[in-house]
Amino acid sequence: MKSLKIPMRMCLGCNEMKPKKELMRVVKSAEGLISLDFTGKKNGRGAYICKSIECFNKARKSHRIEKSFSCRIDDSVYEVMANELEKTENH
């Protein structure tokens, strides 16, 4: 029987390769809006991050999300993303 290939992605916070389903997607839409994508199906350029606030803070501090999207991200966007991540982490 043929084994299924598991798609791997790199976390922007810890730089570890992990299965795509274990990571959360950050999306930059065609309009330039950046948000978290919990479904993994939103249109736009995607980057991946672990579902932990520690990895999010590492990626934010080192500006890795900004580098992957080649744009400046406002602090208010980071705050909204951090709040959404904390809500999902608590559940």
Side-chain angles (χ1 to χ4, degrees):
M1 184 171 204
K2 189 176 180 182
S3 62
L4 293 176
K5 182 177 177 250
I6 300 171
M8 302 290 278
R9 299 290 184 267
M10 185 182 287
C11 171
L12 292 176
C14 60
N15 282 335
E16 289 181 25
M17 292 295 284
K18 296 186 178 182
K20 187 176 167 182
K21 291 189 183 231
E22 291 180 17
L23 300 173
M24 185 178 48
R25 189 168 181 243
V26 181
V27 176
K28 180 182 179 187
S29 67
E31 294 82 36
L33 300 174
I34 295 173
S35 63
L36 295 178
D37 180 11
F38 296 103
T39 62
K41 297 181 193 283
K42 286 185 181 178
N43 289 332
R45 170 97 170 106
Y48 291 85
I49 194 162
C50 291
K51 293 178 182 175
S52 70
I53 199 74
E54 293 87 22
C55 279
F56 176 77
N57 289 333
K58 281 183 193 175
R60 179 179 180 179
K61 186 178 179 184
S62 60
H63 304 284
R64 289 190 184 135
I65 299 173
E66 293 179 3
K67 288 174 188 170
S68 70
F69 293 136
S70 302
C71 71
R72 174 87 175 94
I73 300 174
D74 196 51
D75 284 337
S76 62
V77 175
Y78 278 123
E79 294 302 320
V80 170
M81 288 169 53
N83 290 337
E84 288 179 11
L85 186 58
E86 286 174 0
K87 286 179 192 173
T88 59
E89 202 173 58
N90 292 335
H91 288 290

